[in-house]
């Protein structure tokens, strides 16, 4: 629970005010409580007090780092309350009972899912490597070594502490050892601590999971993730919701850790159901979602959803201003322009692609607003378009002198013609869906 300003003031040694002669220590404490000031600004606060305050004012869900990835740190249950902090990450599962051909095919599939969307890299962040009962441990270690060659962080599902140490040693970087249970948590916690790995904790029920986490914390290990996967979809959903609510609403830090959800287990061999569940647990509290496979076709909608959910609602997604050739457009092909709001760009560019006609789509800076909103706010006008043309040297880069403008701002046609006298201005339809026929007729 966050401390109030008065609590922070009480934790500060009483000699502080006398030492610094500052009559505004109370105001300073209130600023710290509100996040408007840093504790380091006061030279008299001791390290012990700083540690107490850091613990007390930290998010109810602990931030866990695995390699370059961040999990947890959440402060709200719903995105509209503020914003989500750490995006859901995805993993593809392999196990040591698979033959080499199957493993190789899965790893090749993971490599293919790697592209950029609105300045963000979309790829499978983790490989989930499972040790099956009855399989020789050496084969598991060999599989971990092969998976590590893909330059992805690894999640190792193994409940044998000695084998976990061996696997973590060849994992080639930060990893998660998902193998602590009520029966083995002491040995697994020691193995994870020695390997400097995050420890995954799982149990048959939420009560058992809670007690196991509390016991591991008493051992001094708080570098944890919780495996919330149950035997059914319903039970798994209940688990992730109750874990998140316990941490954020009840301020119960025992459940204040990121979660793993294995949708490949919940919907085995059903790709469509796994996609649906991946979407569900992206919205509702899966920190890492594990699938059997993730093809490019599966990745597109899931990654698109994730980007929308984990974008700050106060900061709309935008596309970098510039020239975007569509359908192999060259400098001799016609131009079209619209705003930098990501949704507008994807809708317009998609319809232009469907037309099959080459066109240079010119994206200007409109502050991340839609067409009409940008026009009303003065972000889309003849002057801003002319300024964009000058800054980007459009006339020097494009030979064609025909420009299509959005139909909803047809009123700008005359003003743009005045600002760009060498260009023929063409008004597009009001709706993007009409662009296919419009371009073909044009």
């Amino acid at each position: 629970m966050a401390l109030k300003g008065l609590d922070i003031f009480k934790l500060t040694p009483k000699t502080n005010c006398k030492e610094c002669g500052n009559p505004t220590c109370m105001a300073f404490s209130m600023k710290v409580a509100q996040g408007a000031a840093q504790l380091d600004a006061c030279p008299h606060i001791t390290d012990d007090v700083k540690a107490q305050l850091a613990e007390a004012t930290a998010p109810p869900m602990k931030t866990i780092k695995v390699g370059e990835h961040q999990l947890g740190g959440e402060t709200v249950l719903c995105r509209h309350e503020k914003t989500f902090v750490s995006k859901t990450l995805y993993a593809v599962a392999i196990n040591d009972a698979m033959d080499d051909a199957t493993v190789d095919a899965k790893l090749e599939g993971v490599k293919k899912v790697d592209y950029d969307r609105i300045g963000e890299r979309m790829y499978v962040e983790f490989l989930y490597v499972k040790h099956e009962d009855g399989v020789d441990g050496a084969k598991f270690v060999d599989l971990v070594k092969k998976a590590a060659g893909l330059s992805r962080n690894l999640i190792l599902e193994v409940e044998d502490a000695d084998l976990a140490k061996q696997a973590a040693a060849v994992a080639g970087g930060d990893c998660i050892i998902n193998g602590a249970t009520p029966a083995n948590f002491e040995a697994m916690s020691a193995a994870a601590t020695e390997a400097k790995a995050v420890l995954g904790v799982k149990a048959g029920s939420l009560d058992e999971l809670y007690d196991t986490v509390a016991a591991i914390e008493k051992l001094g290990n708080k570098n944890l993730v919780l495996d919330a996967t149950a035997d059914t979809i319903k039970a798994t959903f209940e688990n992730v919701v109750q874990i998140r609510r316990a941490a954020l609403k009840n301020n119960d830090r025992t459940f204040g850790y990121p979660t793993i959800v294995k949708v490949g287990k919940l919907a085995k061999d059903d790709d469509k159901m796994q996609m649906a569940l991946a979407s569900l647990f992206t919205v509702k509290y899966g920190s890492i979602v594990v699938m059997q496979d993730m093809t490019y076709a599966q990745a597109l909608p899931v990654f698109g959803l994730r980007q929308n959910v984990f974008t700050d609602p106060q900061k709309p997604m935008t596309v970098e201003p510039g020239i975007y050739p569509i359908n192999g457009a060259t400098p001799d092909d016609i131009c079209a322009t619209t705003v930098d709001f990501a949704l507008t760009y994807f809708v317009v560019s998609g319809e232009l692609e469907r037309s099959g006609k080459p066109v240079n789509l010119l994206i200007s800076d409109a502050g991340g607003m839609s067409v009409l909103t940008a026009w009303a706010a003065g972000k889309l006008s003849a002057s801003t378009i002319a300024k964009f043309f000058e800054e980007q040297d459009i006339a020097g880069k494009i030979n064609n002198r025909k420009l299509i403008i959005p139909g909803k701002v047809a009123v700008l046609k005359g003003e743009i013609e005045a600002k760009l006298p060498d260009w023929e201005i063409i008004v597009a339809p009001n709706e993007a869906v009409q662009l296919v026929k419009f371009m073909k007729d044009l």
Side-chain angles (χ1 to χ4, degrees), residues 2-6 8 26-39 57 82:
L3 291 182
K4 297 178 181 178
L6 183 58
I8 292 177
M26 176 64 78
F28 170 75
S29 299
M30 294 300 295
K31 287 184 178 180
V32 172
Q34 296 166 3
Q38 297 297 320
L39 282 172
T57 59
K82 189 176 181 182

Side-chain angles (χ1 to χ4, degrees), residues 74-151:
E74 302 298 343
T75 59
V76 294
L77 287 174
C78 301
R79 173 181 177 265
H80 66 265
E81 295 178 64
K82 189 176 181 182
T83 185
F84 287 152
V85 177
S86 301
K87 65 183 179 184
T88 298
L89 304 176
Y90 301 113
V92 167
I94 56 178
N95 64 68
D96 52 12
M98 293 176 175
D99 57 51
D100 290 341
T102 301
V103 170
D104 291 341
K106 280 179 172 282
L107 297 183
E108 284 301 316
V110 168
K111 291 179 183 178
K112 293 177 182 178
V113 182
D114 195 342
Y115 62 95
D116 288 327
R117 184 179 190 267
I118 319 179
E120 182 180 340
R121 184 186 176 194
M122 304 293 185
Y123 70 108
V124 179
E125 291 91 356
F126 284 91
L127 284 172
Y128 197 96
V129 189
K130 182 180 180 182
H131 174 52
E132 297 286 0
D133 292 337
V135 178
D136 182 36
K139 186 175 181 182
F140 176 67
V141 174
D142 288 341
L143 181 60
V144 171
K145 188 173 183 179
K146 176 183 281 190
L150 209 62
S151 298

Side-chain angles (χ1 to χ4, degrees), residues 7-278:
D7 297 323
I8 292 177
F9 184 70
K10 287 178 179 178
L11 280 175
T12 304
K14 293 182 179 179
T15 55
N16 282 2
C17 294
K18 294 179 180 178
E19 289 183 9
C20 65
N22 185 0
T24 60
C25 281
M26 176 64 78
F28 170 75
S29 299
M30 294 300 295
K31 287 184 178 180
V32 172
Q34 296 166 3
Q38 297 297 320
L39 282 172
D40 292 338
C42 178
H44 308 299
I45 296 179
T46 66
D47 291 339
D48 289 341
V49 171
K50 288 180 181 179
Q52 291 181 59
L53 293 176
E55 177 72 19
T57 59
M61 175 176 286
K62 189 174 178 63
T63 299
I64 300 295
K65 296 202 173 186
V66 186
E68 63 181 15
H69 305 300
Q70 174 179 295
L71 308 171
E74 302 298 343
T75 59
V76 294
L77 287 174
C78 301
R79 173 181 177 265
H80 66 265
E81 295 178 64
K82 189 176 181 182
T83 185
F84 287 152
V85 177
S86 301
K87 65 183 179 184
T88 298
L89 304 176
Y90 301 113
V92 167
I94 56 178
N95 64 68
D96 52 12
M98 293 176 175
D99 57 51
D100 290 341
T102 301
V103 170
D104 291 341
K106 280 179 172 282
L107 297 183
E108 284 301 316
V110 168
K111 291 179 183 178
K112 293 177 182 178
V113 182
D114 195 342
Y115 62 95
D116 288 327
R117 184 179 190 267
I118 319 179
E120 182 180 340
R121 184 186 176 194
M122 304 293 185
Y123 70 108
V124 179
E125 291 91 356
F126 284 91
L127 284 172
Y128 197 96
V129 189
K130 182 180 180 182
H131 174 52
E132 297 286 0
D133 292 337
V135 178
D136 182 36
K139 186 175 181 182
F140 176 67
V141 174
D142 288 341
L143 181 60
V144 171
K145 188 173 183 179
K146 176 183 281 190
L150 209 62
S151 298
R152 301 292 195 276
N153 287 104
L154 304 184
I155 305 170
L156 312 177
E157 182 165 348
V158 53
E159 296 179 11
D160 181 281
D162 291 332
L163 186 56
K165 290 179 186 178
Q166 296 176 47
V170 300
D174 294 326
C175 65
I176 298 173
I177 300 176
N178 188 37
T181 67
N184 70 358
F185 67 86
E186 290 187 19
M188 292 302 297
S189 179
T193 301
E194 181 180 329
K196 297 182 180 179
V198 177
L199 179 63
V201 188
K202 51 187 177 178
S205 69
L206 277 184
D207 288 340
E208 283 188 323
L209 182 63
Y210 186 93
D211 292 341
T212 304
V213 172
I216 294 173
E217 287 183 329
K218 287 181 180 178
L219 298 174
N221 188 355
K222 294 186 178 182
N223 196 24
L224 311 175
V225 296
L226 311 182
D227 189 337
T229 314
D231 292 331
T232 66
I233 296 171
K234 178 182 178 182
T236 302
F237 183 75
E238 289 174 349
N239 286 351
V240 294
V241 171
Q242 289 188 51
I243 288 170
R244 184 65 63 93
R245 288 186 65 85
L248 300 191
K249 289 298 183 182
N250 300 334
N251 287 295
D252 191 335
R253 293 179 183 267
T254 302
F255 265 169
Y257 293 99
T259 54
I260 294 175
V261 180
K262 295 175 282 191
V263 301
K265 174 184 175 182
L266 298 174
K268 190 174 181 180
D269 300 325
D270 188 340
D271 292 344
K272 291 183 174 59
M273 178 57 77
Q274 286 187 45
M275 284 182 63
L277 293 177

